[in-house]
Amino acid sequence: MTTPALGVCYYPEHWPEDWWDRDAARMAEVGIAWVRIGEFAWSRLEPTPGNLTFDWIIRAMDVLGRHGLKVVFGTPTATPPRWMIDKHPDMLAVDAQGRRKGFGSRRHYDFSHLGYREEAARITRLLADAVGNHPALGAWQTDNEYGCHGTTYSYSPAAQEGFQRWLTKKYGTADALNQAWGNVFWSMEYNRFEQVELPNLLVCDAAPAHDLDFRRYASDQVAAFNKVQFDILKAVRPDLPVIHNFMSRYTEFDHYDVAETLDIASWDSYPLGHLAVSGEPEEIKRLYMRQGDPDNAAFHHDLYRAVGHGRWWIMEQQPGPVNWAQFNPDPLPGMARLWAWEAFAHGAEVVTYFRWRQAPFAQEQMHAGLLRPDSEPAPAYHEAIQVAEELKAVGLDGTATKGRVAIVFDYQSEWAWEIQPQAKGFSHGAHVRALYAAFRKHGVDIDVLPPSTNSFAGYDIVAIPALFAWNDDLRTAMTDFEGYLLIGPRSGSKTQDFSIPPGLAPDLPSNLLDVKVTRIDSIDPSLEIEVKGSGAIHHWRERLETKANVIIEDVDGWPVLVSQGKLFYLGASGTRSLVQRVVDYLIAEADLPTLTLPAGVRCRTRNGFRIYVNYAAGPATLTPAKDEAGYVLGSADMPAAGVTVARLATGA
Ligand code: GAL
């Protein structure tokens, strides 16, 4: 569809105006095509209410345009200026402890505050009218990283009123709500919707359905906030794409829903920071400290490709040390190049580095850019030049090749198991990522699917782990599927109203899968239960009543993996080695072609090219695959942080 391109994030308001021209000239020299501006500039665009000063940003766009650069214009709604708080004192969000958040950083607004939503619409409209027809404009970004710094949820009066309205619409009568939430349980029944409070500051747990509905409500507010801006921007320039920049492992709102009003999804990839703040084991953190988790960025590339209905970008790419993790290592030389190549391998249209020049002031002064604060090139500057030249030489275009394996990722299942973990550490995302990594070790291309998928046609293997409740689409997809399907653990263990289904989990007809989960054994996270053969269970195992084939059982004789035809059910949380064993078994059953990859090397195919990346701290040697017709970049001998691109034989 598109030829991949590079971009950079630029803040003209941070630098003297007489620097802009030289900056833009250097960007063009690097081979950068896109420049994102504007997303935090509100106090310079409207210094006092109604006093609009857009002239400088238009001049900045003129300068960028003169150098052939295209602009992504970010609406500045993540950083309302101080005067806005005087105008709407109650627009500040309230945390779960009931404390009002203060002004002096960013994202200090409440998604439920309709007055602020209108202010966001107003500035978006004014900017769209002022810059919408500028010749350098190529795309819009709405706001910045919805939800960052824990800002999806607010426990304010505005949120409470909004939630009550949302519940009225959903349930119609208080009786229906009482029934859905199981409010008879502790005499929690309501007579009117106005009595319903938010699920914080209660004596003990709220009913799980109450909590889940609040999360659904909060997620809907993010989607509604985005829609307001999308509608305005599209009305002015229907031809320009509207993009939002999402994050890594951030699940507080349903990204599929928000993307209903986006043309392109993007995400901000900071592999070293993300690994440092993740819950990955210490040995992984040490091994990949300067490279990042070899599967985390890739997983998000595939996730956001699904969120963006096939179209996605990296809006912010880590260029060097960041400032926000507990420690911030220098990436291995070559990683700023590798990360970009990996994104393109997964179908990215654009990879935008964050940021052009390191700022010597304020919160992110320790965050690297392509330039140092003294305007000299930082290492990533040269790596970006290299990527731009290589992209041209290789001639990569088209989109990511459709995978033969798919995994369903569902935001509501994330919320469900946070609300009711039952086993500390049990999470939907952890199950998805473990399967993802296990498939990827075999060099197979993986797609992520939303829970609204109603057909799995074209895939050889589909996995649905830890899905809290079935919906009609997934039931249809599953029933019609002719490939290999892996379900479990905990899938279908709730209804959409967060109750146990009458037929018990996994809540499937016995002709499809004759399995009933009759008991749960959740265990101390430091303990493991061995499985016969190899591998172990942690966190969670299910007692299965089943007539299906038992393929793996644990040392106590409990069935762990069972199958009925091509449908497999995994009734436990597996350690890495057990998940790998299950995946290896499925791949062999499905007779899926695989690659033999050295440790630390990963790959993905895009439109006739297979791109290998070496996340190991040392060299690695590839075994050329049968379907490849030679290397067009790099060779079988990959240095640390190396990239090798193979051309696939025609017809492969
Ligand atoms: C992102 C954010 C940027 C910048 C960056 C630093 O989360 O969108 O504005 O703060 O992190 O790594």
Side-chain angles (χ1 to χ4, degrees):
M1 184 201 293
T2 38
T3 309
L6 291 182
V8 76
C9 303
Y10 187 53
Y11 300 90
E13 68 275 23
H14 294 179
W15 315 111
E17 186 160 344
D18 59 5
W19 291 18
W20 298 351
D21 191 69
R22 171 96 183 102
D23 280 344
R26 289 175 89 188
M27 290 173 193
E29 275 163 32
V30 168
I32 282 167
W34 288 89
V35 185
R36 185 191 64 173
I37 63 169
E39 83 277 12
F40 299 131
W42 200 336
S43 71
R44 292 294 174 93
L45 295 168
E46 191 181 14
T48 52
N51 169 22
L52 304 175
T53 48
F54 297 170
D55 48 320
W56 66 269
I57 207 156
I58 293 169
R59 287 199 302 279
M61 292 173 77
D62 294 343
V63 172
L64 295 168
R66 268 205 302 279
H67 290 276
L69 299 159
K70 277 187 285 183
V71 167
V72 182
F73 199 106
T75 64
T77 52
T79 50
R82 178 61 186 82
W83 55 256
M84 187 72 76
I85 315 300
D86 294 333
K87 219 170 152 191
H88 302 283
D90 56 351
M91 65 169 274
L92 294 166
V94 174
D95 74 9
Q97 279 67 47
R99 296 170 305 201
R100 197 202 70 160
K101 295 182 186 174
F103 176 86
S105 62
R106 63 177 170 182
R107 298 215 53 77
H108 40 278
Y109 70 86
D110 186 335
F111 280 104
S112 292
H113 193 279
L114 299 180
Y116 182 63
R117 200 179 288 177
E118 188 37 52
E119 295 282 359
R122 182 182 62 83
I123 193 70
T124 301
R125 207 173 289 121
L126 290 166
L127 282 167
D129 289 341
V131 306
N133 289 307
H134 194 286
L137 187 69
W140 304 102
Q141 176 186 294
T142 52
D143 201 274
N144 189 78
E145 291 190 342
Y146 289 137
C148 185
H149 316 301
T151 52
T152 296
Y153 304 123
S154 172
Y155 300 86
S156 60
Q160 173 148 327
E161 283 160 29
F163 186 43
Q164 290 168 351
R165 281 195 299 273
W166 186 93
L167 292 171
T168 309
K169 200 161 162 223
K170 174 167 180 180
Y171 293 107
T173 66
D175 278 352
L177 177 146
N178 289 330
Q179 176 74 24
W181 290 6
N183 282 343
V184 62
F185 188 64
W186 281 340
S187 274
M188 301 175 297
E189 288 168 299
Y190 300 103
N191 312 103
R192 298 185 309 280
F193 287 102
E194 297 71 46
Q195 297 168 328
V196 182
E197 294 184 55
L198 300 178
N200 66 318
L201 295 176
L202 308 186
V203 176
C204 67
D205 291 346
H210 181 176
D211 221 328
L212 182 61
D213 267 346
F214 175 62
R215 288 175 185 240
R216 287 169 170 151
Y217 159 76
S219 179
D220 283 358
Q221 303 323 296
V222 181
F225 190 88
N226 190 68
K227 183 177 187 307
V228 167
Q229 298 196 15
F230 177 84
D231 289 346
I232 293 167
L233 299 171
K234 286 311 249 193
V236 174
R237 285 295 302 269
D239 55 323
L240 292 188
V242 176
I243 312 176
H244 178 74
N245 56 334
F246 297 110
M247 293 181 283
S248 169
R249 296 199 187 182
Y250 186 82
T251 54
E252 287 183 355
F253 59 85
D254 190 321
H255 292 44
Y256 303 118
D257 284 350
V258 172
E260 286 303 309
T261 53
L262 291 176
D263 299 296
I264 299 176
S266 77
W267 78 288
D268 297 343
S269 179
Y270 293 94
L272 303 196
H274 294 152
L275 178 60
V277 300
S278 76
E280 293 301 331
E282 284 309 311
E283 73 267 18
I284 299 286
K285 288 191 176 176
R286 274 196 294 273
L287 196 58
Y288 293 113
M289 181 177 88
R290 299 189 187 283
Q291 306 96 299
D293 181 309
D295 298 307
N296 191 62
F299 168 70
H300 287 85
H301 298 336
D302 293 335
L303 171 64
Y304 288 119
R305 198 174 60 252
V307 168
H309 304 280
R311 294 196 67 185
W312 73 280
W313 292 21
I314 291 286
M315 194 59 90
E316 298 180 14
Q317 176 62 67
Q318 176 166 359
V322 299
N323 65 301
W324 43 263
Q326 62 275 42
F327 50 85
N328 299 289
D330 192 14
L332 222 57
M335 287 313 293
R337 166 185 175 242
L338 180 153
W339 293 325
W341 263 107
E342 187 175 48
F344 290 128
H346 288 253
E349 296 177 12
V350 178
V351 173
T352 301
Y353 287 99
F354 181 90
R355 52 186 278 151
W356 175 244
R357 183 188 289 102
Q358 181 172 349
F361 48 81
Q363 281 92 331
E364 292 177 357
Q365 53 187 267
M366 299 304 290
H367 194 297
L370 294 187
L371 296 184
R372 303 186 319 213
D374 66 357
S375 297
E376 290 299 314
Y381 183 90
H382 301 292
E383 294 188 27
I385 294 178
Q386 191 182 348
V387 175
E389 286 170 355
E390 289 169 345
L391 283 174
K392 256 195 253 157
V394 169
L396 191 70
D397 61 5
T399 52
T401 309
K402 183 176 162 120
R404 294 180 68 171
V405 171
I407 308 180
V408 173
F409 184 84
D410 172 43
Y411 289 91
Q412 296 208 33
S413 298
E414 285 285 325
W415 311 338
W417 307 141
E418 279 168 21
I419 292 168
Q420 190 184 76
Q422 182 69 5
K424 185 171 185 236
F426 188 102
S427 96
H428 169 73
H431 284 84
V432 172
R433 288 192 299 270
L435 284 165
Y436 182 88
F439 278 113
R440 200 156 175 261
K441 291 239 161 52
H442 291 285
V444 300
D445 291 341
I446 303 158
D447 292 343
V448 172
L449 299 176
S452 57
T453 306
N454 60 15
S455 168
F456 296 148
Y459 291 107
D460 294 64
I461 304 177
V462 174
I464 311 179
L467 178 94
F468 94 107
W470 296 112
N471 62 50
D472 293 344
D473 287 333
L474 274 184
R475 278 192 193 273
T476 307
M478 195 171 51
T479 314
D480 296 348
F481 188 43
E482 290 174 1
Y484 289 79
L485 187 59
L486 175 68
I487 294 174
R490 218 171 174 172
S491 291
S493 62
K494 305 290 171 188
T495 63
Q496 292 288 343
D497 288 334
F498 218 124
S499 294
I500 295 171
L504 306 188
D507 193 22
L508 294 175
S510 60
N511 64 327
L512 264 191
L513 182 68
D514 195 340
V515 168
K516 200 169 269 212
V517 178
T518 58
R519 197 146 177 103
I520 300 300
D521 183 33
S522 84
I523 53 179
D524 183 314
S526 64
L527 298 178
E528 289 182 0
I529 298 169
E530 296 297 314
V531 154
K532 289 181 192 163
S534 66
I537 292 166
H538 59 178
H539 301 297
W540 185 272
R541 70 171 172 171
E542 296 171 354
R543 188 84 173 174
L544 307 183
E545 194 179 277
T546 181
K547 294 201 185 75
N549 262 342
V550 179
I551 300 163
I552 299 178
E553 57 180 19
D554 67 23
V555 286
D556 298 327
W558 291 30
V560 173
L561 181 70
V562 301
S563 75
Q564 187 165 321
K566 290 180 174 174
L567 211 162
F568 293 71
Y569 186 80
L570 177 65
S573 288
T575 55
R576 275 169 198 255
S577 60
L578 178 57
V579 173
Q580 192 68 58
R581 183 177 161 195
V582 170
V583 162
D584 294 354
Y585 186 89
L586 269 173
I587 284 181
E589 286 287 297
D591 203 17
L592 202 68
T594 58
L595 300 173
T596 309
L597 297 177
V601 172
R602 303 288 190 271
C603 67
R604 207 196 191 284
T605 53
R606 170 172 174 160
N607 197 33
F609 294 98
R610 179 173 292 126
I611 293 113
Y612 292 93
V613 290
N614 182 16
Y615 270 89
T621 304
L622 298 175
T623 315
K626 282 200 226 66
D627 60 351
E628 291 169 2
Y631 299 123
V632 293
L633 180 72
S635 72
D637 293 316
M638 302 184 76
V643 176
T644 293
V645 181
R647 186 189 290 284
L648 297 181
T650 335

